[in-house]
Amino acid sequence: MRFLRRRPAPASTASVSLARALSKLGYCSRTQAEKLVREGRVTVDGRSVRQVELRIDPQRARLTVDGQPVTAVRRIYLMLNKPRGMVTTASDPEGRQTVYACLEGKDLPHLAPVGRLDMASEGLLLMTNDTRWAQRILDPASGVDKTYHVQIDRVPDDAFMARLREGAVDGDEVLSIRSAALLRCGERNAWVEMVIDEGRNRQIRRIVEAAGAEVLRLVRVRIGELELGDLAKGAVRELAPEETTLPLAGYPVGKLRTNVA
């Protein structure tokens, strides 16, 4: 009698690192997950593991943290009106207030910001535990527009607006802009609407400075078809299901609700 040697099961194409698996399941951030693993507080299929980069299939592996099972949580999609002066991180070594202060007292799983707004900027910030959805919005290939209302320290003339629309070159970076339009003027300052489809560090501020002005306030009012509307400063609301489909290249476009409930 001849026995056939059993072939090893093929590796799952859905495997990710253990730290990423905890993050994808919405349990915590990847940085927090790495700390939990290194401290020996995570088990995989009943076995204690300290290897952050261990590859697992989060849909099949049994995970626990401190003896408690980790399961996928409901996908959450939030819109936040970020106040000026907050940083877009989970914690800050300098002790500054973070956007997570706006979520205190709410029964929510771990959420991560979709992109960033610097401390001096304000307005529309999305937060979610759906990493794939977030990546689609942040992917430059998606071409999702971000619209900002920018107060500058001068009354712009046609030449200034032309310089804005040209973008800027800062070192080896080319900073481009999709459009710029004058909204309203005061005696010494003005509000300008600027639209970009990429997210370079301090991009709007650098373009304005290159054109010869200073930014007094910077408010993000729209991402794709999602509008900030009259959502109060520091307030959050959950997106409706139809709002979670943004107009992305290669993906279906849903009709999005742009008023604020």
Side-chain angles (χ1 to χ4, degrees):
M1 181 180 294
R2 186 166 60 94
F3 294 95
L4 296 177
R5 180 176 298 176
R6 179 178 295 177
R7 294 181 181 179
S12 171
T13 58
S15 67
V16 296
S17 71
L18 178 54
R20 180 163 174 77
L22 288 170
S23 174
K24 286 174 70 66
L25 289 171
Y27 184 83
C28 60
S29 71
R30 195 184 308 186
T31 300
Q32 292 168 329
E34 290 175 355
K35 184 173 184 292
L36 291 172
V37 173
R38 291 192 179 102
E39 291 174 349
R41 297 165 61 185
V42 180
T43 70
V44 179
D45 296 330
R47 180 171 56 93
S48 179
V49 174
R50 291 178 182 264
Q51 299 167 267
V52 171
E53 294 302 324
L54 175 70
R55 307 290 291 187
I56 68 166
D57 183 343
Q59 303 302 318
R60 297 181 179 180
R62 290 182 291 107
L63 304 178
T64 72
V65 175
D66 296 334
Q68 298 300 312
V70 177
T71 56
V73 297
R74 181 173 71 92
R75 296 302 186 191
I76 302 290
Y77 309 87
L78 293 185
M79 173 188 292
L80 164 66
N81 187 349
K82 175 192 173 297
R84 187 173 184 173
M86 287 185 169
V87 292
T88 313
T89 56
S91 61
D92 182 68
E94 298 180 30
R96 296 171 295 184
Q97 194 173 38
T98 78
V99 293
Y100 287 88
C102 298
L103 307 184
E104 289 179 358
K106 302 181 185 298
D107 184 18
L108 294 168
H110 171 76
L111 303 175
V114 182
R116 293 179 181 271
L117 284 173
D118 64 41
M119 188 173 72
S121 300
E122 52 196 295
L124 176 55
L125 179 68
L126 299 175
M127 301 187 73
T128 186
N129 56 359
D130 186 340
T131 56
R132 183 174 296 181
W133 184 77
Q135 187 56 45
R136 285 169 55 189
I137 295 174
L138 296 174
D139 187 349
S142 297
V144 178
D145 287 345
K146 291 89 175 174
T147 303
Y148 297 80
H149 287 178
V150 187
Q151 186 183 34
I152 59 175
D153 67 344
R154 60 173 290 175
V155 176
D157 54 19
D158 290 343
F160 176 85
M161 295 302 296
R163 290 196 297 273
L164 274 189
R165 297 183 183 109
E166 288 174 0
V169 177
D170 186 5
D172 59 355
E173 281 191 284
V174 178
L175 308 174
S176 61
I177 184 171
R178 177 157 287 191
S179 66
L182 181 62
L183 292 174
R184 59 185 182 275
C185 288
E187 293 183 1
R188 298 181 179 179
N189 55 62
W191 283 90
V192 177
E193 181 176 90
M194 300 176 66
V195 181
I196 61 175
D197 59 5
E198 55 186 359
R200 298 179 184 272
N201 183 41
R202 301 183 68 253
Q203 182 172 344
I204 293 288
R205 295 180 186 276
R206 291 156 70 192
I207 292 174
V208 170
E209 289 168 6
E214 293 290 331
V215 172
L216 301 178
R217 284 185 66 191
L218 192 154
V219 185
R220 184 158 61 194
V221 297
R222 180 187 293 204
I223 298 175
E225 297 284 335
L226 284 173
E227 292 183 357
L228 182 63
D230 58 1
L231 187 66
K233 193 79 66 180
V236 297
R237 74 168 178 85
E238 191 166 351
L239 300 184
E242 64 269 21
E243 291 181 292
T244 62
T245 304
L246 289 171
L248 303 173
Y251 295 97
V253 178
K255 183 178 180 181
L256 305 181
R257 186 185 63 181
T258 55
N259 64 303
V260 176

